[in-house]
Amino acid sequence: MENTATNPQINDASTLLIKYADNGAIILEKLRDAITSPSKTKRLRTWGIEAAAKMIDRSGPTLKRLEAEHPDLIPLRDDAGRRAYSLELINRYRRYAGSLYQRPSGTRAIVCAVTNFKGGAGKTTTAVHLAQKCALTGLRVLAIDLDPQATMTLMFGVIPDLDLEAEDTIASVLVQNPADLPSVIRKTYFTGVDLVPANLCLQDAELQLANVDENNQTALGLHAVERLRAAISAVEDQYDVVVLDCGPNMGTFTLNAVYAATGLLVPIPPAMPDFGSARQFFQSMGQLLARPSFMKSLDFLKVLITRHTGTSEAADVEALIRVNFKESVMHAVTVETVEIERASNDFGGVYESERSRGSKEAFARAITSLDSANEELLEVFRATWARQSLSSVGR
């Protein structure tokens, strides 16, 4: 007979669940405060002179010469009195050194939707690290969280259901007025990255947006799936790259992302269930983009193999992915690593870690993996801008 003393009936499930949620919110707030102490505000790391010189693409002596020539180039000092460089300062050096990449005139912001309707593919990890890498190179980035789970929001140091009301997210913007997007854009601690955050309110907005009687379609003159494109158009001149982190579904928010995107990035882990799901995803996307209202060209379509374990089984599925998706598959892969999980526990990404949380080898492997993928994507972005620049000259 089952022991009912160890498994009592729950008569008030609602109260119990809300209690757990409230307790979890307190824990999250305490964890964030511990991580950001003593300032209570998360700050981006700094770099030593050797790393800064590499980022600026100039030698250490050149940096010192620039400091002598420009009074506003004053490096910080770490606890040991050594030179330390913030990303904001590094970008200033880049401007004086002529090494700051700027997208050509006559080109458009890249709007990259990171999407796949299967959970666990590494979408948010991919989106966050792509946004951060773009910013590290000096590009202006807008990260838009379109997932009610709001993991991207959390990774940028914002606790979704503590720090945000519905009006602080993109939810009401897409339903009420896309032109209001600037009102929900917030600066992050990561220099060069602005964030449009999310929380659970996006679930209600998803339903409201899909309802013609509630989504203000007549007043706005915009179909439900056209809202995000209209919203981004109001701010895209202020950014070089817009990264859209989509939920694991094909809901209205994801459809908005696809409609707004100039390119798609599809993360796929090398496992058979993920391969099967990806095939279904491409079929659904193909049918969607065949509709007259959705028909569009893309500047790029890239498949990124994520969470690679290095096993022979993973290698076999990687081969299937490369055979099936052919030239769309990126050369680089990102590896399964605890370094990403550990960085996420500190509400951030690996790029902002000043030192490994485990072994130096594992940390170097994580950075190398992320860099190889993101630098390949940056080359895709630059090639897109070069093509657009040539086209604008020819007009």
Side-chain angles (χ1 to χ4, degrees), residues 28-48:
L28 281 173
E29 192 165 25
K30 287 181 177 178
L31 284 172
R32 182 184 58 183
D33 288 348
I35 290 165
T36 59
S37 181
S39 67
K40 302 302 182 185
T41 301
K42 195 167 184 205
R43 295 181 179 178
L44 183 58
R45 60 164 294 187
T46 58
W47 288 262

Side-chain angles (χ1 to χ4, degrees), residues 39 58 69 76 80 83 87 110 119 151 189-190 208 211-212 223 238 250 258 292 298 337 339 374-375 378 391:
S39 67
R58 296 294 185 269
E69 295 173 354
L76 308 169
R83 280 178 166 82
L87 182 53
I110 298 288
T151 306
Y189 65 90
F190 203 108
Q208 193 176 359
N211 188 330
V212 178
H223 190 274
Q238 303 169 36
M250 284 289 281
V258 173
L298 290 171
T337 169
E339 288 294 330
N374 288 322
E375 285 167 4
L378 281 165
S391 177

Side-chain angles (χ1 to χ4, degrees), residues 319-378:
L320 285 178
I321 292 172
R322 293 191 181 280
V323 167
N324 193 80
F325 302 118
K326 302 186 184 301
E327 67 276 359
S328 292
V329 184
M330 294 172 57
H331 297 293
V333 304
T334 58
V335 297
E336 179 85 337
T337 169
V338 295
E339 288 294 330
I340 291 175
E341 181 181 348
R342 288 168 175 164
S344 298
N345 287 339
D346 287 345
F347 300 90
V350 176
Y351 282 131
E352 57 200 279
S353 304
E354 297 191 52
R355 60 186 63 86
S356 65
R357 292 165 173 79
S359 70
K360 290 183 179 179
E361 294 77 13
F363 181 69
R365 183 166 172 258
I367 288 289
T368 299
S369 168
L370 290 167
D371 270 349
S372 63
N374 288 322
E375 285 167 4
E376 187 174 338
L377 285 165
L378 281 165

Side-chain angles (χ1 to χ4, degrees), residues 294-312:
F294 259 91
M295 196 171 290
K296 60 185 290 185
S297 61
L298 290 171
D299 288 327
F300 60 89
L301 167 63
K302 290 296 174 183
V303 170
L304 174 62
I305 297 172
T306 56
R307 308 186 66 177
H308 203 302
T309 59
T311 64
S312 58

Side-chain angles (χ1 to χ4, degrees), residues 33-205:
D33 288 348
I35 290 165
T36 59
S37 181
S39 67
K40 302 302 182 185
T41 301
K42 195 167 184 205
R43 295 181 179 178
L44 183 58
R45 60 164 294 187
T46 58
W47 288 262
I49 188 168
E50 184 177 340
K54 184 176 180 181
M55 293 170 71
I56 298 165
D57 198 24
R58 296 294 185 269
S59 66
T62 298
L63 266 58
K64 293 178 181 179
R65 177 179 60 78
L66 288 169
E67 290 165 18
E69 295 173 354
H70 303 282
D72 61 326
L73 295 181
I74 304 173
L76 308 169
R77 297 285 174 173
D78 64 16
D79 293 341
R82 295 169 299 203
R83 280 178 166 82
Y85 298 80
S86 67
L87 182 53
E88 182 180 5
L89 185 58
I90 285 169
N91 284 334
R92 208 178 303 158
Y93 277 85
R94 285 166 165 160
R95 291 187 187 96
Y96 284 125
S99 62
L100 179 66
Y101 175 84
Q102 294 182 297
R103 65 180 173 98
S105 60
T107 62
R108 306 186 307 274
I110 298 288
V111 182
C112 178
V114 184
T115 181
N116 182 338
F117 58 40
K118 186 176 187 300
K123 291 186 296 298
T124 299
T125 296
T126 298
V128 168
H129 286 99
L130 173 59
Q132 292 181 345
K133 182 63 176 182
C134 287
L136 287 172
T137 66
L139 296 172
R140 303 165 300 167
V141 183
L142 178 62
I144 301 181
D145 195 345
L146 296 168
D147 186 351
Q149 296 179 76
T151 306
M152 170 184 267
T153 297
L154 191 62
M155 287 180 72
F156 277 109
V158 180
I159 301 179
D161 296 296
L162 285 181
D163 299 334
L164 303 170
E165 302 295 335
E167 58 267 24
D168 299 319
T169 73
I170 201 169
S172 59
V173 169
L174 295 191
V175 174
Q176 301 296 333
N177 186 6
D180 284 342
L181 183 63
S183 69
V184 295
I185 294 174
R186 56 174 61 199
K187 297 288 183 185
T188 71
Y189 65 90
F190 203 108
T191 303
V193 180
D194 289 350
L195 174 70
V196 175
N199 65 10
L200 280 174
C201 294
L202 267 64
Q203 288 189 148
D204 295 332

